[in-house]
Amino acid sequence: MPTKLNLASKPFSNRSLPWVVTSVIIVFSLIALVFIVRSTSRTSALAAVVQHDINTLKQQEIAARQKAQAVKNSLTSEQLQTLGAAHTLVDRKHFSWSRLFADLESALPGTVRVKRIAVRGVTTQGNATLAELELAVVAKSPTSVTDMIGQMDKEGIFHAELRTQNLQRGRGESGTEYELSVIYKPSAGAATETVASTPPSADVARGGLR
């Protein structure tokens, strides 16, 4: 006689399966937790090393500044002036008079004539050379000078500001002399030459720049 199984009164159940699934999940969770803890520990250790390097560099910077200040304090006023002059000579090695004259030639209109150029200071900012100039020009019309200043600012090589203007009263002189304060920034890639053979102040003859 065949055996009949009534599932309604005796349902089939596998009690071990939930425990197996739970155990597998717990094992994977523990493994993931271990990896997370190890990764966090390595990250924290790396951050600590980086912070230690930053602190070391800061301490070295502070020490270098203190040494530099100590050396500066030990110098006399004459030695400080000599040091400043040496820095100025180094900066001026990157200044080109021929480049300045060429840039002025292209910036000046035909109605404006350069009378005097004086270089008051030369500095370097990165790879760029900046020169502070005192420029005296002669023109018959103030409009010509105003237009020239505007054109200089537009091109970006010169930044000029009008300081004074004086009517020419000398024999054979005509027009008005305008004294400008100019910041000169040569274009990138300009040739350089040492200005030791050229004085920092030069009068431009009538046969030179117009």
Side-chain angles (χ1 to χ4, degrees):
M1 176 181 293
T3 302
K4 295 182 179 180
L5 179 63
N6 189 351
L7 296 178
S9 60
K10 295 182 179 180
F12 175 79
S13 62
N14 188 349
R15 297 183 178 182
S16 63
L17 181 61
W19 290 104
V20 171
V21 173
T22 303
S23 300
V24 171
I25 294 175
I26 292 175
V27 170
F28 276 106
S29 299
L30 291 175
I31 294 174
L33 180 61
V34 170
F35 278 108
I36 292 174
V37 171
R38 288 183 178 180
S39 178
T40 303
S41 300
R42 287 195 296 266
T43 303
S44 300
L46 181 60
V49 171
V50 172
Q51 185 63 42
H52 179 269
D53 292 341
I54 292 175
N55 294 336
T56 301
L57 291 175
K58 287 183 178 180
Q59 292 176 357
Q60 291 176 354
E61 181 183 1
I62 294 174
R65 288 184 177 180
Q66 291 176 348
K67 290 180 180 179
Q69 187 63 37
V71 172
K72 186 176 180 180
N73 293 336
S74 65
L75 297 177
T76 64
S77 59
E78 294 181 355
Q79 290 174 331
L80 289 175
Q81 292 178 357
T82 302
L83 181 62
H87 286 304
T88 301
L89 288 176
V90 171
D91 290 335
R92 287 190 173 181
K93 287 183 178 181
H94 301 281
F95 181 75
S96 171
W97 277 95
S98 60
R99 184 69 185 185
L100 170 62
F101 291 145
D103 289 337
L104 276 177
E105 187 73 22
S106 62
L108 294 181
T111 55
V112 178
R113 174 174 59 87
V114 176
K115 184 177 181 181
R116 185 176 64 258
I117 303 174
V119 179
R120 296 307 181 192
V122 179
T123 59
T124 56
Q125 295 182 356
N127 294 327
T129 300
L130 297 179
E132 182 182 355
L133 309 177
E134 181 182 298
L135 179 65
V137 299
V138 177
K140 293 183 179 180
S141 171
T143 305
S144 300
V145 178
T146 303
D147 293 342
M148 179 192 71
I149 294 175
Q151 185 63 27
M152 283 181 169
D153 290 340
K154 183 178 180 181
E155 292 179 355
I157 299 177
F158 297 95
H159 176 70
E161 294 182 359
L162 180 62
R163 295 175 58 186
T164 61
Q165 62 182 64
N166 299 297
L167 182 64
Q168 296 290 286
R169 300 180 181 275
R171 185 175 181 180
E173 297 285 348
S174 61
T176 304
E177 178 182 322
Y178 300 86
E179 186 174 313
L180 308 173
S181 177
V182 181
I183 300 298
Y184 171 53
K185 182 180 180 180
S187 57
T192 59
E193 63 180 13
T194 304
V195 297
S197 60
T198 308
S201 178
D203 291 333
V204 180
R206 294 185 180 182
L209 290 173
R210 59 180 183 274

